[in-house]
PDB file of all heavy atoms in Angstrom:
ATOM      1  N   ARG A 490      22.595  49.366 -16.534  1.00 88.00           N
ATOM      2  CA  ARG A 490      21.205  48.928 -16.474  1.00 88.00           C
ATOM      3  C   ARG A 490      20.389  49.940 -15.682  1.00 88.00           C
ATOM      4  O   ARG A 490      20.500  50.009 -14.458  1.00 88.00           O
ATOM      5  CB  ARG A 490      21.092  47.554 -15.814  1.00 88.00           C
ATOM      6  CG  ARG A 490      21.885  46.438 -16.473  1.00 88.00           C
ATOM      7  CD  ARG A 490      21.600  46.289 -17.950  1.00 88.00           C
ATOM      8  NE  ARG A 490      20.233  46.011 -18.257  1.00 88.00           N
ATOM      9  CZ  ARG A 490      19.777  44.832 -18.669  1.00 88.00           C
ATOM     10  NH1 ARG A 490      20.609  43.832 -18.814  1.00 88.00           N
ATOM     11  NH2 ARG A 490      18.517  44.676 -18.948  1.00 88.00           N
ATOM     12  N   GLU A 491      19.638  50.746 -16.372  1.00 83.00           N
ATOM     13  CA  GLU A 491      18.764  51.727 -15.727  1.00 83.00           C
ATOM     14  C   GLU A 491      17.327  51.518 -16.198  1.00 83.00           C
ATOM     15  O   GLU A 491      16.617  52.447 -16.542  1.00 83.00           O
ATOM     16  CB  GLU A 491      19.250  53.149 -16.017  1.00 83.00           C
ATOM     17  CG  GLU A 491      20.644  53.421 -15.459  1.00 83.00           C
ATOM     18  CD  GLU A 491      21.120  54.840 -15.670  1.00 83.00           C
ATOM     19  OE1 GLU A 491      20.806  55.694 -14.812  1.00 83.00           O
ATOM     20  OE2 GLU A 491      21.789  55.087 -16.682  1.00 83.00           O
ATOM     21  N   ASP A 492      16.926  50.239 -16.212  1.00 85.00           N
ATOM     22  CA  ASP A 492      15.593  49.867 -16.677  1.00 85.00           C
ATOM     23  C   ASP A 492      14.528  50.407 -15.721  1.00 85.00           C
ATOM     24  O   ASP A 492      14.761  50.535 -14.522  1.00 85.00           O
ATOM     25  CB  ASP A 492      15.466  48.338 -16.750  1.00 85.00           C
ATOM     26  CG  ASP A 492      16.626  47.696 -17.509  1.00 85.00           C
ATOM     27  OD1 ASP A 492      17.785  47.934 -17.113  1.00 85.00           O
ATOM     28  OD2 ASP A 492      16.381  46.960 -18.461  1.00 85.00           O
ATOM     29  N   THR A 493      13.365  50.705 -16.277  1.00 86.00           N
ATOM     30  CA  THR A 493      12.243  51.133 -15.438  1.00 86.00           C
ATOM     31  C   THR A 493      11.442  49.909 -15.002  1.00 86.00           C
ATOM     32  O   THR A 493      11.394  48.891 -15.702  1.00 86.00           O
ATOM     33  CB  THR A 493      11.324  52.093 -16.196  1.00 86.00           C
ATOM     34  OG1 THR A 493      10.883  51.460 -17.409  1.00 86.00           O
ATOM     35  CG2 THR A 493      12.059  53.378 -16.541  1.00 86.00           C
ATOM     36  N   GLU A 494      10.816  50.008 -13.833  1.00 87.00           N
ATOM     37  CA  GLU A 494      10.043  48.892 -13.296  1.00 87.00           C
ATOM     38  C   GLU A 494       8.821  48.625 -14.167  1.00 87.00           C
ATOM     39  O   GLU A 494       8.130  49.551 -14.590  1.00 87.00           O
ATOM     40  CB  GLU A 494       9.614  49.200 -11.865  1.00 87.00           C
ATOM     41  CG  GLU A 494       9.055  48.001 -11.122  1.00 87.00           C
ATOM     42  CD  GLU A 494       8.896  48.263  -9.638  1.00 87.00           C
ATOM     43  OE1 GLU A 494       9.448  49.264  -9.141  1.00 87.00           O
ATOM     44  OE2 GLU A 494       8.218  47.460  -8.980  1.00 87.00           O
ATOM     45  N   ALA A 495       8.575  47.342 -14.456  1.00 90.00           N
ATOM     46  CA  ALA A 495       7.463  46.963 -15.345  1.00 90.00           C
ATOM     47  C   ALA A 495       6.123  47.260 -14.684  1.00 90.00           C
ATOM     48  O   ALA A 495       5.907  46.933 -13.512  1.00 90.00           O
ATOM     49  CB  ALA A 495       7.562  45.480 -15.685  1.00 90.00           C
ATOM     50  N   ARG A 496       5.224  47.874 -15.453  1.00 92.00           N
ATOM     51  CA  ARG A 496       3.865  48.153 -14.986  1.00 92.00           C
ATOM     52  C   ARG A 496       2.819  47.406 -15.812  1.00 92.00           C
ATOM     53  O   ARG A 496       1.700  47.197 -15.353  1.00 92.00           O
ATOM     54  CB  ARG A 496       3.584  49.659 -15.057  1.00 92.00           C
ATOM     55  CG  ARG A 496       4.429  50.492 -14.099  1.00 92.00           C
ATOM     56  CD  ARG A 496       4.158  50.112 -12.661  1.00 92.00           C
ATOM     57  NE  ARG A 496       4.970  50.884 -11.729  1.00 92.00           N
ATOM     58  CZ  ARG A 496       5.043  50.632 -10.439  1.00 92.00           C
ATOM     59  NH1 ARG A 496       4.362  49.627  -9.917  1.00 92.00           N
ATOM     60  NH2 ARG A 496       5.802  51.377  -9.647  1.00 92.00           N
ATOM     61  N   ARG A 497       3.176  47.037 -17.037  1.00 94.00           N
ATOM     62  CA  ARG A 497       2.264  46.242 -17.878  1.00 94.00           C
ATOM     63  C   ARG A 497       2.835  44.828 -17.956  1.00 94.00           C
ATOM     64  O   ARG A 497       3.835  44.587 -18.628  1.00 94.00           O
ATOM     65  CB  ARG A 497       2.132  46.870 -19.270  1.00 94.00           C
ATOM     66  CG  ARG A 497       1.478  48.246 -19.249  1.00 94.00           C
ATOM     67  CD  ARG A 497       1.216  48.777 -20.657  1.00 94.00           C
ATOM     68  NE  ARG A 497       2.451  49.017 -21.389  1.00 94.00           N
ATOM     69  CZ  ARG A 497       3.151  50.150 -21.321  1.00 94.00           C
ATOM     70  NH1 ARG A 497       2.755  51.137 -20.544  1.00 94.00           N
ATOM     71  NH2 ARG A 497       4.259  50.295 -22.028  1.00 94.00           N
ATOM     72  N   ILE A 498       2.188  43.909 -17.250  1.00 96.00           N
ATOM     73  CA  ILE A 498       2.728  42.568 -17.047  1.00 96.00           C
ATOM     74  C   ILE A 498       1.769  41.522 -17.596  1.00 96.00           C
ATOM     75  O   ILE A 498       0.564  41.564 -17.321  1.00 96.00           O
ATOM     76  CB  ILE A 498       2.984  42.310 -15.546  1.00 96.00           C
ATOM     77  CG1 ILE A 498       3.956  43.364 -14.994  1.00 96.00           C
ATOM     78  CG2 ILE A 498       3.523  40.904 -15.316  1.00 96.00           C
ATOM     79  CD1 ILE A 498       4.066  43.359 -13.486  1.00 96.00           C
ATOM     80  N   LEU A 499       2.305  40.572 -18.370  1.00 97.00           N
ATOM     81  CA  LEU A 499       1.521  39.477 -18.939  1.00 97.00           C
ATOM     82  C   LEU A 499       2.040  38.158 -18.377  1.00 97.00           C
ATOM     83  O   LEU A 499       3.221  37.835 -18.525  1.00 97.00           O
ATOM     84  CB  LEU A 499       1.638  39.490 -20.463  1.00 97.00           C
ATOM     85  CG  LEU A 499       0.945  38.365 -21.237  1.00 97.00           C
ATOM     86  CD1 LEU A 499      -0.554  38.340 -20.940  1.00 97.00           C
ATOM     87  CD2 LEU A 499       1.198  38.510 -22.731  1.00 97.00           C
ATOM     88  N   VAL A 500       1.174  37.418 -17.698  1.00 97.00           N
ATOM     89  CA  VAL A 500       1.525  36.127 -17.103  1.00 97.00           C
ATOM     90  C   VAL A 500       0.976  35.015 -17.989  1.00 97.00           C
ATOM     91  O   VAL A 500      -0.235  34.963 -18.252  1.00 97.00           O
ATOM     92  CB  VAL A 500       0.962  35.999 -15.673  1.00 97.00           C
ATOM     93  CG1 VAL A 500       1.316  34.637 -15.069  1.00 97.00           C
ATOM     94  CG2 VAL A 500       1.489  37.125 -14.779  1.00 97.00           C
ATOM     95  N   LEU A 501       1.841  34.132 -18.456  1.00 97.00           N
ATOM     96  CA  LEU A 501       1.433  33.017 -19.314  1.00 97.00           C
ATOM     97  C   LEU A 501       1.325  31.757 -18.458  1.00 97.00           C
ATOM     98  O   LEU A 501       2.335  31.220 -17.998  1.00 97.00           O
ATOM     99  CB  LEU A 501       2.448  32.816 -20.440  1.00 97.00           C
ATOM    100  CG  LEU A 501       2.796  34.053 -21.288  1.00 97.00           C
ATOM    101  CD1 LEU A 501       3.778  33.686 -22.388  1.00 97.00           C
ATOM    102  CD2 LEU A 501       1.535  34.680 -21.874  1.00 97.00           C
TER     103      LEU A 501
END
Side-chain angles (χ1 to χ4, degrees):
R490 302 307 301 253
E491 298 183 87
D492 310 56
T493 56
E494 192 169 346
R496 294 298 179 189
R497 295 186 295 274
I498 302 169
L499 177 58
V500 179
L501 307 182

